[in-house]
Amino acid sequence: MTGRTQASAGDLLELVRSGRATTRGALQQATGLSRATVGQRLDRLFRAGWLREGAGGPVDSPLGGRPSITLEFDDEHAVVLAADLDTRHARAAVLTLTGEILAEHSGTLVVEDGPDAVLGELGRWFAELLARGGQRAQSVCGIGLAVPGPVDSESGRVVQPPMMPGWDGYDIRGRLARSFTEHTGAGPVPVLVDNDANLMAYGEQRTGHPHCSAFVLVKVSTGIGAGVVVGGSIYRGIDGGAGDIGHIRVGAEALCRCGSYGCLAAVASGGAVARRLAETGVPAASGSDVRDLLAAGHPEAIGLAREAGRQVGDVLATVVTLLNPGVLMIAGDLAGTAFLTGVRELLYQRALPRSTAHLDVVTSRLGERAGLVGAGALVVEYLYAPERAEERLLAMGV
């Protein structure tokens, strides 16, 4: 808020959603607005369907009286669509505004087929999911998409993505919005795009570690990437390139998909482990194949995963020293006991004790749904942020 007397309806909504002020009296106290002005602005939020009255709270006055009526964000007035693309696989879902998954689908979707085909198919998935979840297409307020490449958050376009040929600079937002309309008949909705590791980190931090002010998630699947959440917000760098640790040089001579030699992803990703297994005659072509072999207890896969973990742990010692996070989460296809053991071996060996004294090294809680939850949360936080909420209220005529 720019000042205590300048609080808009959007600012009041933010106070209620965050739990900082959930009664009319508390809103008056937090904003300095009069009772009448608070009432007028709340009325706009009620007419939009964004707020509802909850149960009565405790009586604050020692003289007694009626309990204060609490105010709640109404998460049933709209839904969000989300999708998480990997290189050869995707997941999509319909979510409530508070992140509950109402309907979900996963299947083969190959990014190398190009953005037009992939985003067109996602539109079809979304239409089927809405029908399965019993939701009207008109109730969708926005779409969130996680992609396996660096994203310029201002434009929503991927920038020189090593694992997404044909996607560089493509208008993802526009194509996915059109695909949604083509398959559902509903009007256009906002589309937000971000890197998959960023959105996994955002989903995991918000749901499992909301009080951690510096959170790092490392996704190790076909490639390697990291998402960083600082102060509750995704840290993207100046143009979306933050967290691209898979292309840190580690001194090896392996050729990476980016065209350089010696990248961490070229020697320690799920794709790299799969190639090494294939060279020994073990059928493996991707990180998901390695995941299945690890689940089956395949000894050679376990050994290579632990070795890969050590290589990643060596790099993470620098990451931890630089960022001093409270939580370091390992996620993705390789995020099992063998890989985690390797990470811990090198991380604690190479990082100073000061950097790891208050560090929790954990694995994903949301699993394969982390990107979906993060993508949904990104849309909700964007649409209901104070300034955007005020713009939307005006557009609705309330």
Side-chain angles (χ1 to χ4, degrees):
M1 288 178 287
T2 57
R4 289 177 62 87
T5 61
Q6 300 300 315
S8 66
D11 289 315
L12 268 59
L13 179 66
E14 177 70 13
L15 288 168
V16 173
R17 289 185 62 233
S18 66
R20 286 178 286 164
T22 58
T23 65
R24 287 169 172 80
L27 289 169
Q28 287 177 242
Q29 187 173 15
T31 62
L33 297 175
S34 69
R35 179 177 179 180
T37 302
V38 167
Q40 291 168 357
R41 294 183 180 175
L42 288 178
D43 182 60
R44 297 176 65 201
L45 297 172
F46 281 119
R47 283 187 284 142
W50 295 358
L51 280 188
R52 63 188 174 203
E53 290 186 342
V59 177
D60 297 328
S61 171
L63 301 177
R66 291 185 301 172
S68 300
I69 299 298
T70 59
L71 303 169
E72 300 174 349
F73 179 58
D74 188 342
D75 66 341
E76 297 179 355
H77 73 269
V79 294
V80 175
L81 293 171
D84 184 3
L85 294 182
D86 207 333
T87 53
R88 304 187 64 82
H89 184 268
R91 304 182 78 87
V94 184
L95 300 93
T96 68
L97 298 180
T98 50
E100 178 188 354
I101 292 180
L102 301 175
E104 184 178 5
H105 175 73
S106 64
T108 300
L109 208 54
V110 182
V111 294
E112 290 186 356
D113 288 344
D116 188 62
V118 169
L119 299 174
E121 181 67 3
L122 276 182
R124 187 179 68 80
W125 286 16
F126 286 151
E128 293 177 353
L129 284 168
L130 287 167
R132 192 191 312 168
Q135 301 293 322
R136 298 168 54 252
Q138 289 73 17
S139 69
V140 175
C141 63
I143 300 172
L145 177 65
V147 298
V151 177
D152 178 357
S153 60
E154 291 297 318
S155 67
R157 299 172 188 251
V158 291
V159 183
Q160 300 178 0
M163 296 190 298
M164 302 178 70
W167 290 70
D168 187 20
Y170 186 86
D171 181 15
I172 296 174
R173 288 177 178 172
R175 177 66 181 101
L176 188 52
R178 290 193 302 274
S179 180
F180 168 73
T181 297
E182 290 165 4
H183 288 280
T184 66
V189 296
V191 176
L192 299 185
V193 186
D194 210 327
N195 171 263
D196 54 357
N198 283 350
L199 292 180
M200 291 173 69
Y202 197 49
E204 295 278 8
Q205 188 271 338
R206 288 174 61 84
T207 58
H209 305 273
H211 303 297
C212 180
S213 60
F215 178 96
V216 176
L217 178 144
V218 178
K219 179 186 178 183
V220 187
S221 291
T222 300
I224 300 176
V228 180
V229 179
V230 177
S233 299
I234 298 171
Y235 178 75
R236 300 181 177 90
I238 59 171
D239 63 2
D244 202 4
I245 66 169
H247 300 287
I248 291 176
R249 295 290 297 276
V250 294
E253 292 303 318
L255 177 63
C256 183
R257 296 181 66 165
C258 73
S260 297
Y261 287 88
C263 294
L264 179 64
V267 296
S269 65
V273 172
R275 286 192 296 274
R276 293 184 65 182
L277 287 168
E279 289 169 0
T280 66
V282 178
S286 66
S288 59
D289 293 334
V290 177
R291 178 192 61 205
D292 294 341
L293 289 167
L294 291 171
H298 190 284
E300 193 164 357
I302 290 173
L304 289 174
R306 182 165 179 170
E307 181 183 339
R310 289 170 57 85
Q311 292 167 312
V312 172
D314 197 8
V315 170
L316 290 180
T318 300
V319 172
V320 165
T321 301
L322 176 66
L323 297 178
N324 189 210
V327 175
L328 172 62
M329 178 173 285
I330 307 299
D333 292 330
L334 265 61
T337 301
F339 186 85
L340 192 64
T341 298
V343 167
R344 285 178 166 147
E345 285 178 10
L346 262 289
L347 173 62
Y348 288 107
Q349 178 182 324
R350 297 292 171 84
L352 291 173
R354 172 69 183 81
S355 301
T356 58
H358 303 288
L359 175 69
D360 290 329
V361 182
V362 300
T363 53
S364 171
R365 294 178 58 173
L366 296 175
E368 295 181 336
R369 290 177 163 178
L372 295 175
V373 172
L378 186 74
V379 171
V380 173
E381 292 306 313
Y382 169 78
L383 290 177
Y384 295 94
E387 288 187 9
R388 177 67 58 178
E390 191 64 28
E391 291 174 3
R392 294 176 64 210
L393 289 170
L394 290 171
M396 294 166 65
V398 298

